[in-house]
Each structure stands twice: as C-alpha cells, then as structure tokens.
Amino acid sequence: MFLRVITAMLLLSAAAMAGSKPVCPGPAALGDARCHSHVVSDEHGNATASSTPAGYGPIQFRTAYNLPSSTAGGGQTIGIVDAFNDPNIENDLGVYSSTFGLPKCTTANGCFKKANQTGGTSYPKTDSGWALEISLDVEIAHALCPNCKILLVEATSNSFSNLLVAEDYARTHANVVSNSWGGSEFSSETTSSYDGHFNNTGKPITFSSGDSGFGVEYPAASRFVTAVGGTTLKLNSNNTRASETGWSGTGSGCSAFEPKPSWQKDKGCLRRTVVDVAADANPSTGAAVYDSVRYSGISGWFKVGGTSLSSPIIASIYALAGNGSSTVDGSYPYSHLSGLLDVTLGSDGTCSVLYLCTAVVGYDGPTGNGAPKGTGAF
C-alpha cells in the first residue's frame, strides 16, 4: 500500500512538473478510445484558462508551415470524428473566428455541420473532456483551412464500435477525415470489422499516434491511415519556423499486428511502423483553444497540445492540397519528401531499435518522414 501511494505521488508530481495534463485520462479500457489532447496546467496539475488567447493561432501555424491562405481549400470538407457532444461548439468556433479575423463558419452559411454518428441531429450526452477535444479539432481545422467546410461527427460514446460508425459517416461525406483518438492494439484490428472502415483510396484519413511516449496505438497503426506524430515547434519573431524537434510524448514504434505496407521501406520493423509524418504537439508550444463548456470547472481560452493537435493540422494540409483522390492510404508523403522538413532531434522513450523511438536523419518512428513545409507532401 505504501509503495502504491508513493508511486502515485511521484506520478502526480511528474505530471505537475510537466506543465500539462491529459484531457481524457487513460489508458482506455479494451475496446474504448481516449482523446489525445493535453492541456497546459499549473504547478498543482490543474488545467488553466484565461480571458485572452494563449498559444499559437492561425497566423503562427500557417506561417511556420508555409501554407496558402487565399483560395486554397475551396470545395473541400474536413470531417472530424470525436466522441460525445459539445453543445457549444458552433458558438465557440464563432468566438475563435472573430478573435483571429477568420471567415465565419456557421450552419447558416453552409460552412459548418454537426451530426451524430449516423448523420442525425439527436446528439449524445455532453462530456467536458471530449468537448475540449472537439474545440481543439474544429478550431484548428478552421485556422489552417479557413475556406474548408467542417463536418463534425459525434459518436454516442468513446467505444470503438460507436466511433467506427461515426467514421463511416464522416468518410462518406467529407474529402479528408481527422481523428485524434486511439487505444491499445488488439489481434483482430486487421480484420474488415476494424481496418475495413479505413480502407478507402482517395480519402485521406489522419490519426494521432498517442501522447504517452514510445508505444503503438490503434487506429494509428492501421496501414490504411496517415499516422501523425508530434513535435515541438519553436518560432522566430516573424512566426517562421525556428526549429522543430520530436516531442517526448508522441507515440511511435512497431505494430504488433498490422502488416507492413509496401510503401514503408525501413528495416527495423517487420510490420507497420508508426508514424508517417508529424506536426506540432508539445503543449508548451500548443494551440490557443476557446471552449465555453466548463472543463475542470473553468472555461475560456486554453492552451492545448498532444497529437490531438497534430492530426487536424495534417488533415487540414491534405485539404489545402486538394489532392485526396490521388492518395493511397498514408503513402503519398513517402514519395514527396521535398515537401517535408526532416526532423532529426528528439526522443519519445527507449527502445531496442534506435530510430523507432528517436528522431534521426531520414525516416524515424517519432516524426516519420518529417513535418510540413508547404502542401507538396500531401
């Protein structure tokens, strides 16, 4: 008992010192998923919020990643799949848009649509953690691709069975789908009951790789998706990229079950290697997110990271590129390396095959082929 108490105290201390906490605590039960966002916290491990934005906004992300901001993304719909309901998301997106001078994105003007997992308007129960996740996903998609339409699909619960129903609806009604959730791998993940929901050439599907460090989660492990890892993105005073390194919390590694896709050529993993590409995820260089659903008793502007941030970043860049019909699973970046910055520093843990947990020259587990520099890799 004493040892368990001391261990718990050490874990709490480490979380507080890290300056962030998981928005959806885990690990999830087998068959369930947790969201992959981390919110900046105080020295006691409590989430913090303010009345003004804290963290990177649209101009920072678009400048750092050299993204177009005029007419790109027109005609594209970004699908976002999450669990539970955020009853305030359209209003919160409006606050975000007006604060940063973005075009309005509303149900009335046809830019925004919210649906339950089968496309209806009877929404699931509200969950404050997933509501913060939804705010992050929706606001980042609009920040990077302000001309894109957004389809938010809310699963009834965080079970894989419900989330995959939502995935099917999003996939058939959007050009690109972003997912910022996952759970433990399992032996039947490669069957049509699971991987079959992602096997859809011409519809890029991004999945966050996790935020607990070295290790593989599903569905990021699926060979039919783009697995997105996390970085620490530091900026110059003019918002250009000063440096980008692998984030210690990103998930990576060698899948226990997924066959190796033909487009992966690394030799240290006989099966599918996670990840494919990466983008900003470190909460200390995270995004400003507005959420009026009270999370941990507070609301306002949060600073949020985790690979929940990097997944909608990459999905939005796929939409900006407008090239979805030419993509096959997560393969496109592998043949367009000139559109990526090779990230060569950073580690997410220890492993027997160095590149699976440490950023190196060329392909590696934590950052894949690298971070975006424009839309050319997508």
Side-chain angles (χ1 to χ4, degrees):
M1 178 66 180
F2 177 77
L3 181 59
R4 288 200 298 269
V5 171
I6 293 297
T7 302
M9 292 174 62
L10 289 172
L11 289 171
L12 178 61
S13 175
M17 290 173 62
S20 68
K21 60 179 289 186
V23 171
C24 299
L30 188 64
D32 290 346
R34 58 180 291 268
C35 70
H36 288 150
S37 50
H38 267 238
V39 62
V40 167
S41 59
D42 62 20
E43 66 273 17
H44 303 293
N46 299 313
T48 59
S50 60
S51 59
T52 56
Y56 294 161
I59 189 65
Q60 282 77 32
F61 288 120
R62 294 206 301 251
T63 303
Y65 290 130
N66 191 29
L67 302 179
S69 58
S70 54
T71 59
Q76 296 284 301
T77 297
I78 301 172
I80 294 169
V81 175
D82 279 310
F84 302 110
N85 181 37
D86 181 345
N88 301 349
I89 184 56
E90 187 170 355
N91 175 75
D92 291 353
L93 178 58
V95 173
Y96 185 90
S97 299
S98 62
T99 299
F100 290 113
L102 299 176
K104 291 182 179 179
C105 188
T106 65
T107 302
N109 69 13
C111 172
F112 178 78
K113 179 181 178 180
K114 184 171 84 168
N116 66 23
Q117 65 186 38
T118 56
T121 56
S122 178
Y123 304 117
K125 67 180 182 180
T126 299
D127 180 277
S128 62
W130 281 90
L132 181 54
E133 173 66 52
I134 289 169
S135 294
L136 169 67
D137 295 341
V138 169
E139 290 168 14
I140 290 304
H142 191 48
L144 271 72
C145 191
N147 297 312
C148 288
K149 294 181 179 180
I150 295 173
L151 169 63
L152 170 64
V153 186
E154 297 179 333
T156 301
S157 75
N158 63 323
S159 70
F160 274 108
S161 57
N162 281 317
L163 284 161
L164 292 175
V165 173
E167 190 75 23
D168 289 341
Y169 185 83
R171 179 172 49 81
T172 54
H173 292 83
N175 305 99
V176 182
V177 183
S178 176
N179 303 269
S180 294
W181 48 269
S184 301
E185 285 199 278
F186 48 94
S187 59
S188 59
E189 68 187 46
T190 61
T191 66
S192 59
S193 297
Y194 294 95
D195 266 358
H197 295 271
F198 313 119
N199 187 3
N200 190 63
T201 299
K203 293 284 182 74
I205 299 173
T206 65
F207 266 95
S208 54
S209 67
D211 52 14
S212 300
F214 179 68
V216 176
E217 291 195 10
Y218 184 82
S222 173
R223 61 196 184 278
F224 301 117
V225 309
T226 298
V228 185
T231 66
T232 299
L233 174 66
K234 295 185 177 180
L235 305 179
N236 296 309
S237 58
N238 63 355
N239 294 319
T240 57
R241 177 167 38 200
S243 67
E244 196 156 11
T245 57
W247 175 50
S248 61
T250 188
S252 72
C254 185
S255 171
F257 304 107
E258 294 280 342
K260 197 166 199 69
S262 60
W263 33 269
Q264 278 195 327
K265 305 300 183 184
D266 60 301
K267 303 299 184 183
C269 171
L270 295 178
R271 292 179 290 274
R272 162 75 154 131
T273 311
V274 177
V275 303
D276 300 312
V277 293
D280 187 31
N282 190 333
S284 69
T285 61
V289 174
Y290 184 77
D291 178 24
S292 63
V293 176
R294 297 181 70 83
Y295 173 76
S296 294
I298 57 176
S299 61
W301 288 94
F302 296 84
K303 188 176 182 181
V304 188
T307 52
S308 278
L309 169 59
S310 52
S311 181
I313 288 176
I314 296 300
S316 299
I317 298 176
Y318 269 120
L320 287 168
N323 190 44
S325 61
S326 298
T327 64
V328 180
D329 307 328
S331 65
Y332 199 84
Y334 287 77
S335 57
H336 296 80
L337 298 180
S338 63
L340 297 167
L341 172 74
D342 185 13
V343 179
T344 60
L345 295 173
S347 173
D348 64 355
T350 58
C351 57
S352 59
V353 181
L354 182 66
Y355 80 90
L356 293 177
C357 62
T358 302
V360 297
V361 174
Y363 178 84
D364 56 70
T367 66
N369 292 296
K373 52 177 184 179
T375 62
F378 304 93

